């Protein structure tokens, strides 16, 4: 799972290094001179000069002044220019959708949202993305020509390589629909698609924990899913199904029936829907995860207990994942995490009890920081990460 991704992250000395390698070096924002770039990459000075010219023409880097020099004319320095291009990110949930226009540093330039039912079908929903996206570009004072691409997150299983949803349970009409083809016929840029949990993991990693190369993002809401960042990149698995932790068996679930057809799944006891059903049985009416959160916030003891126990159940599955994957951080997000520290306290309790000491020695378990816009930012980041891989960055030059 790490071979190709880790290899492509390093500027390989043996491969012909292009503008992409220079851009990777400059993306930290530090201004550098031509000779610094030459010595860092091992490229000939004349090659660096050519690549720098191409990057300057594209606007991706800009002159950033001159360095102090020991004598003579000080050498010019160059730095990454994140506002050169922009990206549109769309986070499409079951009943709510959010858009954000971001620059190459992930800064939000314009954003918008709407109540929009994913069950209206792909044409209606994607037309909204296109129209809303154009409005946000106007608002940000940018044109479609500046747009590097569009990232779309969907609330169901997605085959990332083709951008199609695969048997999504709550998305009638979307099964096999070619999202990139439909959107790029209206706005002619590359379109990438992934599931909502992966884009939230990307947004959280990019905006809040950029130095944590091995991160698990848990979305605990109506369902329960996990986005995996391995070696700094999203790990999707062979078929894109990696991280589907909601249907792993937990001891406390007994014979509880799950919507997947099995019994004893994590989702059958720890999802917002499952907690709401349990509360209703106990005489505390609740319809879904938002009701559960509302009850917990108003101090309902059964709701607080239910969320804490859900945290323990999620922790039971994560304790195994920690031993397998050895993440440096687990980020807990989704609507159930909005009810204060109860969910995360349950998760911590079980993980520190059950995982191996070496795996938990430096493990952090933290609440999500990107908030409601995290998914839309992550959808945009997916496009940026894709485009600035050294092997593809020439597409950025124009
Ligand atoms: Zn299940």
């Amino acid at each position: 799972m790490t071979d190709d991704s880790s290899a492509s992250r390093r500027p390989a000395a043996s491969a012909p290094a292009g503008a992409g390698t220079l851009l990777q070096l400059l993306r930290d924002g530090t201004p550098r001179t031509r000779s610094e770039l030459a010595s860092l990459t091992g490229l000939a000075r004349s090659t660096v000069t050519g690549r720098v010219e191409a990057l300057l023409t594209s606007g991706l880097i800009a002159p950033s002044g001159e360095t102090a020099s020991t004598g003579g004319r000080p050498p010019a320095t160059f730095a990454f220019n994140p506002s050169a291009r922009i990206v549109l990110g769309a986070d499409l949930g079951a009943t709510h959708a959010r858009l954000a226009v971001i620059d190459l540093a992930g800064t939000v330039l314009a954003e918008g949202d709407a109540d929009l039912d994913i069950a209206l079908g792909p044409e209606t929903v994607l037309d909204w993305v296109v129209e809303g996206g154009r409005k946000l570009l106007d608002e940000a004072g940018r044109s479609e020509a500046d747009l590097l691409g569009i990232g779309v997150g969907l609330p169901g299983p997605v085959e990332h390589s083709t951008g199609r949803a695969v048997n999504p349970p709550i998305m009638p009409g979307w099964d096999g629909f070619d999202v990139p083809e439909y959107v790029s016929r209206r706005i002619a840029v590359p379109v990438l698609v992934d599931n909502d949990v992966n884009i939230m993991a990307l947004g959280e990693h990019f905006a809040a924990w950029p130095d944590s190369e091995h991160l698990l993002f848990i979305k605990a809401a109506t369902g329960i899913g996990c986005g995996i960042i391995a070696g700094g990149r999203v790990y999707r698995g062979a078929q894109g199904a990696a991280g589907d932790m909601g249907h792993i068996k937990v001891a406390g679930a007994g014979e509880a029936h799950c919507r997947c057809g099995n019994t004893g799944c994590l989702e059958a006891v720890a999802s917002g829907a499952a907690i709401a059903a349990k509360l209703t049985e106990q005489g505390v009416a609740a319809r879904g995860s938002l009701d559960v959160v509302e009850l917990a916030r108003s101090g309902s003891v059964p709701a607080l207990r239910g969320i804490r126990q859900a945290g323990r159940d999620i922790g039971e599955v994560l304790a195994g994942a920690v031993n397998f994957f050895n993440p440096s951080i687990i980020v807990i997000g989704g609507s159930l995490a909005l009810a204060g520290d109860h969910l995360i306290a349950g998760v911590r309790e079980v993980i520190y009890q059950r995982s191996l000491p070496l795996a938990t020695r430096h493990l952090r378990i933290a609440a999500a920081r990107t908030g409601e816009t995290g998914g839309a930012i992550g959808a945009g980041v997916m496009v940026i990460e894709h485009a600035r891989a050294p092997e593809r960055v020439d597409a950025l030059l124009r």
Side-chain angles (χ1 to χ4, degrees):
M1 82 189 228
T2 54
D3 48 3
D4 65 341
S5 55
S6 60
S8 59
R9 285 174 59 75
R10 274 180 237 120
S14 55
T21 310
L22 296 189
L23 197 59
Q24 290 282 19
L25 275 172
L26 288 165
R27 64 186 257 200
D28 65 3
T30 310
R32 293 190 173 88
T33 65
R34 287 187 185 88
S35 44
E36 282 168 344
L37 289 169
S39 67
L40 284 166
T41 55
L43 291 171
R45 184 67 195 263
S46 57
T47 313
V48 168
T49 301
R51 303 287 191 266
V52 164
E53 282 314 309
L55 287 167
L56 281 170
T57 309
S58 73
L60 286 168
I61 64 171
S64 62
E66 295 170 337
T67 56
S69 172
T70 48
R73 190 167 153 266
T77 61
F78 307 95
F80 178 50
N81 172 27
S83 64
R85 307 293 293 274
I86 50 168
V87 174
L88 174 65
D91 177 15
L92 305 176
T95 58
H96 198 81
R98 192 171 285 270
L99 296 174
V101 171
I102 63 173
D103 70 11
L104 298 180
T107 306
V108 177
L109 306 177
E111 60 181 303
D113 69 320
D115 289 325
L116 182 68
D117 202 333
I118 197 84
L120 290 171
E123 283 96 349
T124 308
V125 172
L126 295 174
D127 285 347
W128 177 85
V129 170
V130 168
E131 287 318 305
R134 286 187 176 131
K135 263 182 232 152
L136 291 185
L137 288 179
D138 274 353
E139 232 173 80
R142 305 296 293 257
S143 73
E144 281 182 29
D146 295 338
L147 197 61
L148 178 62
I150 300 175
V152 179
L154 296 177
V158 170
E159 190 181 60
H160 176 67
S161 58
T162 61
R164 293 166 194 258
V166 183
N167 297 321
I170 57 163
M171 299 165 60
W174 288 79
D175 188 20
F177 189 85
D178 192 340
V179 174
E181 197 267 340
Y182 187 86
V183 175
S184 59
R185 238 191 304 131
R186 284 149 184 87
I187 300 180
V189 292
V191 178
L192 298 178
V193 189
D194 207 340
N195 70 55
D196 53 347
V197 187
N198 283 350
I199 61 164
M200 288 169 87
L202 255 180
E204 193 69 25
H205 175 251
F206 188 90
W209 317 95
D211 298 327
S212 298
E213 295 245 305
H214 309 289
L215 172 151
L216 295 179
F217 176 88
I218 312 306
K219 181 184 181 187
T222 304
I224 299 171
C226 175
I228 303 168
I229 303 285
R233 293 183 167 199
V234 174
Y235 177 75
R236 298 185 173 89
Q239 311 298 327
D244 201 352
M245 67 184 280
H247 305 285
I248 293 175
K249 250 184 185 325
V250 286
E255 294 300 304
H257 285 278
C258 180
R259 64 189 168 97
C260 73
N262 285 324
T263 56
C265 294
L266 174 64
E267 246 184 53
V269 285
S271 67
I275 302 172
K278 227 180 295 170
L279 288 175
T280 306
E281 257 172 48
Q282 295 167 13
V284 183
R287 270 174 317 180
S289 48
L290 290 177
D291 283 357
V292 175
V293 170
E294 206 46 57
L295 283 163
R297 280 180 171 159
S298 66
S300 154
V301 172
L304 291 171
R305 268 198 209 122
I307 291 177
R308 176 93 183 201
Q309 183 55 42
R312 291 190 191 105
D313 292 330
I314 293 169
E316 184 182 329
V317 173
L318 283 177
V322 165
N323 290 349
F324 254 93
F325 177 67
N326 189 197
S328 54
I329 182 160
I330 296 176
V331 181
I332 310 288
S335 55
L336 281 183
L338 299 173
D341 290 335
H342 312 284
L343 187 74
I344 207 167
V347 171
R348 281 202 182 104
E349 190 185 315
V350 176
I351 287 183
Y352 288 119
Q353 224 172 62
R354 299 273 291 269
S355 296
L356 293 169
L358 180 61
T360 53
R361 189 181 294 165
H362 301 294
L363 175 68
R364 283 185 299 172
I365 302 173
R369 291 182 175 175
T370 49
E372 290 174 326
T373 319
I377 294 173
V381 169
M382 167 169 64
V383 175
I384 297 171
E385 301 273 313
H386 179 83
R388 73 180 176 191
E391 67 274 18
R392 289 194 206 91
V393 78
D394 287 347
L396 280 166
L397 306 175
R398 25 158 217 180

